[in-house]
Amino acid sequence: MSSQIYHAIARRKLNTLQSLIPKNWLLDPLPEPLPLDVRPLVPKSTVLTPDELSITSSHDVTSLSQLIHSRALTSEAITTAFCKRAAIAQQLTNCLSEILFLPAIERAQALDAEYKRTGKTRGPLHGIPISLKDTYNIKGYDSSIGMASLAENPAKENAALVDILLEQGAVLYCKTNVSQTLMALDSHNHLFGRVMNPRNRRVTAGGSSGGEGALVAMRGSVLGIGTDIGGSVRIPAMCNGLYSIKPSSQRLPFMGQEIGQLPGIDKLGLQASAGLMTTSVRDCELFLKAIADANPWEKDPNVAFGSWEGQGEIRRKPLFGVLRADGITTPLPPVAKVLYETVEALRTAGFEVVEINAPGFKKYHSLANSFFGMGGFNHTFDLLERTGEPLIPWLDTRLRRKSPADLMQLSELHVRKSTLEKEMLGIWRDEKGRMIDALICPVAPHPVPEIDRWNGVGYTSAFVVLDYPAGTLPVRDVSNDDLMDELPESDVLGGWDSRNRDLCKLSSFVSPIILSCTPLLHVLNTWFPLPSGVEAVVNPVLQDYTDPSKTGHPNTNDRSVYLNTKLSVQVVAPRLQERRLYQAMALIDEVLHGASSESP
Amino acid sequence: MSSQIYHAIARRKLNTLQSLIPKNWLLDPLPEPLPLDVRPLVPKSTVLTPDELSITSSHDVTSLSQLIHSRALTSEAITTAFCKRAAIAQQLTNCLSEILFLPAIERAQALDAEYKRTGKTRGPLHGIPISLKDTYNIKGYDSSIGMASLAENPAKENAALVDILLEQGAVLYCKTNVSQTLMALDSHNHLFGRVMNPRNRRVTAGGSSGGEGALVAMRGSVLGIGTDIGGSVRIPAMCNGLYSIKPSSQRLPFMGQEIGQLPGIDKLGLQASAGLMTTSVRDCELFLKAIADANPWEKDPNVAFGSWEGQGEIRRKPLFGVLRADGITTPLPPVAKVLYETVEALRTAGFEVVEINAPGFKKYHSLANSFFGMGGFNHTFDLLERTGEPLIPWLDTRLRRKSPADLMQLSELHVRKSTLEKEMLGIWRDEKGRMIDALICPVAPHPVPEIDRWNGVGYTSAFVVLDYPAGTLPVRDVSNDDLMDELPESDVLGGWDSRNRDLCKLSSFVSPIILSCTPLLHVLNTWFPLPSGVEAVVNPVLQDYTDPSKTGHPNTNDRSVYLNTKLSVQVVAPRLQERRLYQAMALIDEVLHGASSESP
């Protein structure tokens, strides 16, 4: 089929999106060239008033909610500020897919009036603007998930979580950009283009909830909702230096989303989770408690009954476990180092951390991938072919139509899954039989990599197979020192490990000496190279920067690319114990960053 | 393959079983003919001492546990009493599959010694004998589930629930007989023969956990563990006049059972639950709380985290809903009447009961059946053919090899399931939007029917599809009056309804006048007729009574068969709210039967 159809849809879709940004919220012209870190452009522009800059820069949901409650701020003021900042974020990072600014501000006014009239807020989310991944249906808006054939087909009803957020008084003001098919770890598609990482345009913003990650990192949102079936919340959270929690699949309502899959197939394999990204660890608790208090099991039959208080806890003197490697890809030195530092910080603070030996962990990578491929991708290709839409380049070399798995094969996958689930129960006890309160491990075997170079999802997908709640916690920025160490060549574990090591190979033109010269590198990095062969329809505002004719560089293998990114750790708790996970994250966060509750 | 193989296995298996009953525990000779109700034979025999008769006749787990704790009774005394009574039950009802009497009594002695030494019991199950359906693996014993090809292959490790029961101090002393394939509603197979209903040998003991039902009804067990994927705990509980709870599938550990299915296939369809049958409603709480307190999620990764206190509750002034019919089979007059009486009793006691209109309910019957058949029964036929074992007669007309469902069909089934799950959320609110605390409905559209005449499982399987916890509660005996009413012929709903009405058609030779003459009927009923064509290997002790050459009667269509059976109701709560279900059952039980905590 002619590619004209998807081109036309993409053009209309992008035009509509652009048209919903008020003219006086446009950064016109955009600075050229854009800097590596676009975040400082926000205070430099005149779009936000000083108050709006302060509202969006200096608060988390917890403090905004207190300010609404004490009548120091209105929802209208907060919503307007975040709409404006989201508009700026969109212009700089391509992070949005649907814009609801006008109805959002009207709703905020109505919520303010309600509070004035009744003297009661609806709870901690009253008046708080919350952004959602494009997958969540909002009545009257597309859930195109970046695919032309799903565009221009507004949802007829709200997702269950959307209904709950509205009941709780949240203000929905935008939906965010994703990866085509949701199966790529870069948020890139032919409808809206590629989401750029605001703090370092050379590295990926992650996916598939990459629009959320970039938007929250731009502080165009104070709390973003994504979904995670391989790492799609935790990966963009790591890429954008955010806190995140992927709960167990039955914790937050997932029902009522467009996920681009054959309807019902999701029940045969791995269960995806709704998850959240925040700027403070305490907001994770605020949000998860608010949803639990709303009886979500009355809206989505897949949600497990249970109050927030019933979701586990760490002991007064918790015991931590550390899982340093998955046996498939050895973490690169900066990743190993930040894990080491986290463990040492806990030990220094008086907590015991034991080494976890989990040989079963290496089996998760291929098992998760078998589940992901069980449908043979036929629904995906059907959707694409309907409008002549090609795969994005990263997927083009990876996705092929296959025969779907049959009942015997599906059953066999579940036997493997059950065997591993049972085996992994053992990681929650140390050799002395003591209970491990929470597990700490890498989010990925590499730092935030260049665009389209995320290498495998084993460290995150394992906890989807296991359905354990897992969160990410930003620890600190990459330093020059982090880039000096080498892994021994003799220990290469296999193909995944070899590709992973490519991510820290030194190129000939960047020596360790240059690495210590950060200001120079900032200039070098102003232009980011795209992988060759990228031919995507992109946001025209950003076209200059994603036009391959202007780049065409190969991947640089320049370690300096990792400067201006955050190093994170992953924290994990047993299934359906989200409160235990949160308490562990809060404790680790306090040990690492002190009592500060804002993202470091 | 020659049927010699399965015959030989069956003979050996049955001989082993018989040989494990001590000679002085045999009822020798059995009275001939056996009475309709075999229960009075227990006190008439000399096998049990007066103390043992009292221990087994007059207590539930709650009171036995108190007596152990207060040192008024030892576990050894209790275990010995129940082993003896189980041996009698086996001789009269064919209810056992594996016998562990000797090791059980040794374990009881050890537990008594432990209590004496430490001064501590392990909890409320310390020293209590508990019987298990044959499906549960106990290391060193078969889980043949009544199929020759699975026999003589002792389990290598314990089921997760077995490990927990042992940790909690329970004494495992026998496993119980089931239906071949677990897919029949009569517990009949070629290894152990047919389980007979102890209170009325003309009617079914139910299945697939029918051995449990008969054993507990004989008070050869004080608490039995079964499994339920269509009604396999609730149906035998109804047939045997017991309390039962089928929890949501993630509540009790299910892992480590032989269910005769292709490994892993259970994860693709409906989730079975472990469930329990008791003689008192309060024992349901005792058991479910004891298991929750044992952190079962640390043993079986499928168990949801959550304390007993976190499993919901009814309000101080609960609102009940009543669902009187499923729209597929209209309940026969005795069933409708006992539901009516239950509702009126609640209303008289001051509780509001609203009528539930759930048009979606009628879709469950065929959906559940589609799930049950999705594997095409190929694994079952493979197992049977390995030893030349035929299907039991009831299954022989119903089960055929088919092609397994493909991925598209499986996905479509889950779409239907999800749609219905969402629709049924609506039943938990009345028209005024008030929350319904619990639902009351029939267990089946008919009273306990004659052998091999259970008609459909729609009223029970619906709550497997929905994964709602559901329990049965015996209300009262069938009376002569119950058998007088007629359903209007004009309202036949379809095939299932028509077959259901056959169960209350009057035969020419039993008039309503005779029905009022109970003593005569007891004589008439002394011999029970088997459906024609039954050719099963049966327990030789019972052979006289199941030998078709001695019966050959067609189904009698004699309503008097329902005398000497219990009428029950089903109580249902939302998913994972087992405590809410229990509290509703306890309240209804008290309204119906007063403060008495023993089975009526």
Side-chain angles (χ1 to χ4, degrees):
Chain A
M1 181 176 286
S2 154
S3 63
Q4 297 300 314
I5 299 180
Y6 96 85
H7 269 298
I9 294 171
R11 230 180 338 261
R12 288 198 298 272
K13 198 71 197 143
L14 202 51
N15 286 342
T16 304
L17 191 70
Q18 296 293 125
S19 72
L20 289 167
I21 301 179
K23 288 281 172 295
N24 54 342
W25 295 3
L26 292 176
L27 303 174
D28 197 12
L30 277 179
E32 191 170 342
L34 280 181
L36 184 73
D37 182 350
V38 298
R39 296 174 303 167
L41 297 180
V42 180
K44 282 187 196 153
S45 90
T46 55
V47 173
L48 295 177
T49 66
D51 278 354
E52 287 163 350
L53 195 62
S54 162
I55 287 170
T56 51
S57 302
S58 314
H59 294 288
D60 61 358
V61 177
T62 306
S63 62
L64 288 174
S65 183
Q66 287 161 354
L67 292 170
I68 289 177
H69 194 82
S70 68
R71 302 179 207 271
L73 277 180
T74 63
S75 172
E76 183 183 1
I78 294 169
T79 301
T80 304
F82 278 100
C83 286
K84 283 182 161 183
R85 193 151 177 160
I88 297 174
Q90 163 63 6
Q91 297 168 67
L92 296 172
T93 69
N94 248 351
C95 57
L96 302 187
S97 58
E98 299 290 326
I99 285 176
L100 294 71
F101 296 156
L102 203 59
I105 294 168
E106 285 171 1
R107 175 170 163 80
Q109 290 164 342
L111 286 162
D112 288 335
E114 177 184 314
Y115 183 31
K116 197 169 175 183
R117 192 176 68 248
T118 64
K120 282 185 193 161
T121 65
R122 300 193 190 178
L125 300 181
H126 184 105
I128 303 293
I130 288 179
S131 53
L132 292 154
K133 186 176 185 176
D134 196 53
T135 49
Y136 290 88
N137 286 337
I138 301 179
K139 192 176 169 182
Y141 294 86
D142 275 359
S143 296
S144 64
I145 59 167
M147 293 173 89
S149 65
L150 295 172
E152 304 183 333
N153 181 26
K156 289 176 190 60
E157 54 183 17
N158 289 334
L161 185 57
V162 165
D163 272 336
I164 290 172
L165 290 173
L166 292 174
E167 273 180 22
Q168 296 299 304
V171 178
L172 309 183
Y173 66 114
C174 61
K175 296 212 294 180
T176 54
N177 201 1
V178 298
S179 50
Q180 186 196 45
T181 76
L182 308 178
M183 285 180 274
L185 283 320
D186 264 56
S187 294
H188 181 205
N189 63 64
H190 295 309
L191 281 192
F192 305 112
R194 181 190 294 273
V195 177
M196 305 304 298
N197 189 316
R199 84 173 63 218
N200 179 344
R201 285 160 41 77
R202 287 175 69 187
V203 300
T204 180
S208 63
S209 316
E212 271 315 317
L215 179 63
V216 180
M218 284 293 292
R219 288 189 166 268
S221 170
V222 68
L223 190 146
I225 312 294
T227 64
D228 190 315
I229 195 172
S232 285
V233 161
R234 289 163 290 162
I235 289 169
M238 166 178 145
C239 292
N240 292 284
L242 306 172
Y243 296 92
S244 73
I245 285 185
K246 170 210 85 78
S248 294
S249 60
Q250 296 178 36
R251 192 52 81 194
L252 293 176
F254 192 87
M255 184 173 260
Q257 296 189 66
E258 175 57 62
I259 53 169
Q261 300 274 332
L262 179 69
I265 194 176
D266 51 313
K267 302 294 180 188
L268 302 175
L270 302 181
Q271 302 307 303
S273 294
L276 62 154
M277 296 180 218
T278 64
T279 63
S280 74
V281 70
R282 67 181 182 175
D283 275 2
C284 293
E285 179 175 46
L286 179 141
F287 184 82
L288 291 171
K289 183 175 186 327
I291 301 300
D293 287 348
N295 297 356
W297 47 86
E298 294 182 6
K299 291 275 196 304
D300 180 340
N302 294 315
V303 174
F305 175 82
S307 68
W308 175 244
E309 288 68 29
Q311 295 176 28
E313 60 189 341
I314 57 172
R315 289 168 298 180
R316 188 187 297 265
K317 186 84 178 180
L319 173 64
F320 292 95
V322 57
L323 184 80
R324 297 194 190 262
D326 71 353
I328 297 276
T329 42
T330 303
L332 297 179
V335 175
K337 197 168 159 192
V338 82
L339 192 64
Y340 172 84
E341 290 168 7
T342 304
V343 168
E344 292 312 304
L346 283 167
R347 286 174 175 160
T348 303
F351 297 100
E352 195 176 352
V353 186
V354 296
E355 304 292 325
I356 299 292
N357 179 21
F361 206 84
K362 69 159 74 83
K363 300 174 193 159
Y364 281 96
H365 202 171
S366 74
L367 180 57
N369 286 341
S370 299
F371 272 114
F372 296 148
M374 71 187 192
F377 310 115
N378 291 288
H379 189 76
T380 303
F381 281 100
D382 290 348
L383 286 177
L384 292 173
E385 286 168 11
R386 211 178 286 168
T387 65
E389 179 179 344
L391 283 170
I392 53 171
W394 189 84
L395 284 172
D396 194 43
T397 58
R398 289 165 172 85
L399 233 52
R400 291 286 173 270
R401 268 191 199 273
K402 292 189 306 179
S403 295
D406 64 23
L407 184 129
M408 302 281 284
Q409 293 165 323
L410 290 171
S411 300
E412 171 59 24
L413 284 179
H414 281 282
V415 169
R416 286 168 59 194
K417 179 169 178 277
S418 295
T419 306
L420 280 176
E421 282 169 349
K422 193 177 168 200
E423 180 181 335
M424 291 294 275
L425 287 176
I427 68 173
W428 298 108
R429 297 270 166 190
D430 75 354
E431 288 177 357
K432 299 176 194 161
R434 296 177 303 171
M435 190 182 87
I436 308 282
D437 289 85
L439 191 72
I440 311 166
C441 68
V443 188
H446 47 65
V448 186
E450 287 178 283
I451 282 169
D452 276 341
R453 296 194 74 188
W454 195 275
N455 182 50
V457 294
Y459 285 86
T460 44
S461 63
F463 303 116
V464 175
V465 179
L466 288 164
D467 201 23
Y468 291 171
T472 64
L473 199 143
V475 178
R476 64 166 175 81
D477 286 316
V478 171
S479 73
N480 287 319
D481 276 357
D482 295 330
L483 307 178
M484 302 297 175
D485 301 324
E486 308 291 337
L487 285 176
E489 269 304 320
S490 54
D491 297 342
V492 176
L493 299 174
W496 286 103
D497 195 38
S498 175
R499 274 189 297 282
N500 197 50
R501 286 158 184 257
D502 287 346
L503 293 173
C504 74
K505 279 211 178 107
L506 283 179
S507 65
S508 54
F509 66 90
V510 183
S511 77
I513 295 157
I514 294 185
L515 282 173
S516 62
C517 179
T518 312
L520 172 64
L521 284 167
H522 266 249
V523 177
L524 283 175
N525 290 341
T526 301
W527 291 84
F528 68 90
L530 264 189
S532 59
V534 174
E535 292 180 74
V537 175
V538 292
N539 181 339
V541 180
L542 291 180
Q543 196 147 28
D544 282 355
Y545 308 91
T546 50
D547 179 349
S549 68
K550 296 206 174 182
T551 58
H553 295 204
N555 293 317
T556 59
N557 291 325
D558 168 4
R559 288 186 188 173
S560 68
V561 75
Y562 300 121
L563 295 170
N564 260 38
T565 69
K566 285 273 181 206
L567 292 168
S568 298
V569 293
Q570 190 172 200
V571 186
V572 184
R575 195 167 81 97
L576 288 169
Q577 298 197 48
E578 281 69 22
R579 185 159 165 263
R580 176 165 160 182
L581 171 66
Y582 161 72
Q583 290 180 351
M585 287 173 66
L587 187 151
I588 297 168
D589 193 53
E590 191 176 339
V591 165
L592 290 172
H593 306 126
S596 149
S597 63
E598 290 291 308
S599 96
Chain B
M1 182 176 288
S2 155
S3 62
Q4 297 300 315
I5 300 181
Y6 96 86
H7 269 297
I9 295 171
R11 228 178 342 259
R12 287 199 299 273
K13 199 69 197 148
L14 202 51
N15 285 343
T16 305
L17 192 69
Q18 295 294 126
S19 73
L20 289 167
I21 301 179
K23 288 281 174 292
N24 54 342
W25 295 4
L26 291 177
L27 302 176
D28 196 14
L30 276 179
E32 192 170 338
L34 280 180
L36 184 73
D37 182 349
V38 300
R39 295 174 303 167
L41 299 179
V42 179
K44 282 186 196 156
S45 90
T46 55
V47 172
L48 295 177
T49 65
D51 277 355
E52 288 164 350
L53 195 62
S54 162
I55 287 170
T56 51
S57 303
S58 314
H59 293 288
D60 60 359
V61 177
T62 306
S63 62
L64 288 174
S65 183
Q66 286 161 357
L67 291 169
I68 289 178
H69 195 82
S70 70
R71 303 179 206 270
L73 277 179
T74 62
S75 172
E76 183 183 2
I78 294 170
T79 300
T80 304
F82 277 100
C83 286
K84 283 182 162 185
R85 193 152 179 159
I88 297 175
Q90 162 64 6
Q91 297 167 67
L92 296 171
T93 69
N94 247 352
C95 56
L96 302 187
S97 59
E98 299 290 326
I99 285 176
L100 294 70
F101 296 156
L102 204 59
I105 293 168
E106 286 170 2
R107 175 170 163 79
Q109 290 164 340
L111 286 161
D112 288 334
E114 177 183 314
Y115 183 32
K116 197 169 176 185
R117 192 175 68 248
T118 65
K120 281 184 193 163
T121 66
R122 299 194 190 179
L125 301 181
H126 184 104
I128 303 293
I130 288 179
S131 53
L132 292 154
K133 186 177 185 175
D134 196 54
T135 49
Y136 289 88
N137 286 337
I138 300 179
K139 192 176 169 181
Y141 294 86
D142 275 359
S143 296
S144 64
I145 61 168
M147 293 173 89
S149 65
L150 296 171
E152 305 183 332
N153 181 25
K156 289 175 189 63
E157 54 182 16
N158 290 334
L161 185 57
V162 165
D163 272 336
I164 290 172
L165 289 173
L166 293 174
E167 274 180 20
Q168 297 299 304
V171 178
L172 309 184
Y173 65 114
C174 61
K175 297 211 293 179
T176 54
N177 200 1
V178 298
S179 50
Q180 185 195 46
T181 76
L182 307 178
M183 283 180 274
L185 283 321
D186 264 56
S187 294
H188 181 206
N189 62 64
H190 295 308
L191 281 193
F192 304 113
R194 181 190 295 274
V195 177
M196 304 305 297
N197 189 316
R199 86 172 61 218
N200 179 344
R201 285 160 39 79
R202 288 176 68 188
V203 300
T204 180
S208 61
S209 317
E212 272 313 319
L215 180 64
V216 180
M218 285 293 292
R219 288 190 166 268
S221 170
V222 69
L223 190 146
I225 312 294
T227 63
D228 189 317
I229 195 172
S232 285
V233 161
R234 288 164 290 162
I235 289 169
M238 167 178 145
C239 293
N240 292 285
L242 306 172
Y243 296 91
S244 74
I245 286 184
K246 170 209 84 78
S248 295
S249 59
Q250 296 178 35
R251 191 55 80 195
L252 294 176
F254 192 86
M255 183 173 261
Q257 295 189 66
E258 176 56 63
I259 54 169
Q261 301 275 331
L262 178 69
I265 194 176
D266 51 313
K267 302 293 181 188
L268 301 175
L270 302 182
Q271 301 308 302
S273 294
L276 63 155
M277 296 180 218
T278 65
T279 64
S280 74
V281 69
R282 66 182 182 174
D283 275 2
C284 293
E285 179 175 46
L286 179 140
F287 183 82
L288 290 172
K289 182 175 186 325
I291 301 301
D293 287 348
N295 297 356
W297 46 87
E298 294 182 6
K299 290 275 196 306
D300 179 341
N302 294 315
V303 174
F305 176 82
S307 68
W308 175 244
E309 290 67 30
Q311 295 177 28
E313 60 189 341
I314 57 172
R315 289 168 299 180
R316 186 187 297 265
K317 186 83 179 180
L319 174 64
F320 292 96
V322 58
L323 184 79
R324 296 195 189 261
D326 72 352
I328 298 275
T329 42
T330 303
L332 297 180
V335 175
K337 197 168 159 192
V338 81
L339 192 63
Y340 172 85
E341 289 168 7
T342 304
V343 168
E344 292 312 303
L346 283 167
R347 286 175 177 160
T348 303
F351 297 100
E352 197 176 349
V353 186
V354 296
E355 304 291 326
I356 299 293
N357 179 21
F361 206 84
K362 70 159 75 84
K363 299 174 193 160
Y364 281 96
H365 202 172
S366 74
L367 179 58
N369 287 340
S370 299
F371 272 115
F372 296 148
M374 71 187 192
F377 309 115
N378 291 288
H379 189 76
T380 303
F381 282 99
D382 290 349
L383 286 177
L384 293 172
E385 286 167 12
R386 212 178 286 167
T387 64
E389 178 179 344
L391 282 171
I392 54 172
W394 190 84
L395 283 172
D396 194 43
T397 58
R398 288 165 171 86
L399 232 52
R400 292 285 172 271
R401 269 190 197 272
K402 293 188 306 178
S403 295
D406 64 23
L407 183 129
M408 302 281 283
Q409 293 165 324
L410 291 171
S411 299
E412 171 59 22
L413 284 179
H414 280 282
V415 169
R416 286 167 60 194
K417 178 170 179 276
S418 295
T419 305
L420 280 175
E421 282 169 349
K422 193 178 168 199
E423 180 182 336
M424 292 293 277
L425 287 176
I427 69 174
W428 297 108
R429 296 271 167 189
D430 76 353
E431 288 177 357
K432 299 176 193 160
R434 295 177 304 171
M435 191 182 87
I436 309 281
D437 288 86
L439 191 72
I440 311 166
C441 68
V443 188
H446 47 65
V448 185
E450 286 178 283
I451 282 169
D452 276 342
R453 296 194 75 188
W454 195 276
N455 183 49
V457 293
Y459 285 86
T460 43
S461 64
F463 303 116
V464 175
V465 180
L466 288 163
D467 202 22
Y468 290 170
T472 64
L473 199 142
V475 178
R476 63 166 174 82
D477 287 316
V478 171
S479 73
N480 287 318
D481 276 358
D482 295 331
L483 307 178
M484 300 298 176
D485 301 325
E486 307 291 337
L487 284 177
E489 270 303 322
S490 54
D491 297 343
V492 176
L493 299 173
W496 286 103
D497 196 36
S498 176
R499 273 189 298 281
N500 198 48
R501 286 159 184 256
D502 287 346
L503 293 173
C504 74
K505 280 211 179 108
L506 282 180
S507 65
S508 54
F509 65 90
V510 183
S511 76
I513 296 157
I514 295 185
L515 281 174
S516 62
C517 180
T518 313
L520 172 64
L521 284 167
H522 265 250
V523 177
L524 283 176
N525 290 341
T526 301
W527 291 84
F528 68 90
L530 265 188
S532 59
V534 172
E535 291 179 75
V537 174
V538 291
N539 183 338
V541 180
L542 290 181
Q543 197 146 26
D544 282 355
Y545 307 93
T546 50
D547 180 349
S549 68
K550 296 208 175 182
T551 58
H553 294 204
N555 292 319
T556 59
N557 291 326
D558 167 5
R559 288 185 190 174
S560 67
V561 75
Y562 301 121
L563 295 169
N564 258 40
T565 69
K566 285 272 181 205
L567 292 168
S568 298
V569 292
Q570 189 172 199
V571 186
V572 185
R575 195 167 81 98
L576 289 169
Q577 298 196 47
E578 281 70 21
R579 186 159 165 262
R580 177 165 161 181
L581 171 66
Y582 161 72
Q583 290 180 350
M585 287 174 66
L587 187 151
I588 297 168
D589 193 54
E590 191 176 338
V591 165
L592 291 172
H593 305 126
S596 148
S597 63
E598 290 291 307
S599 98

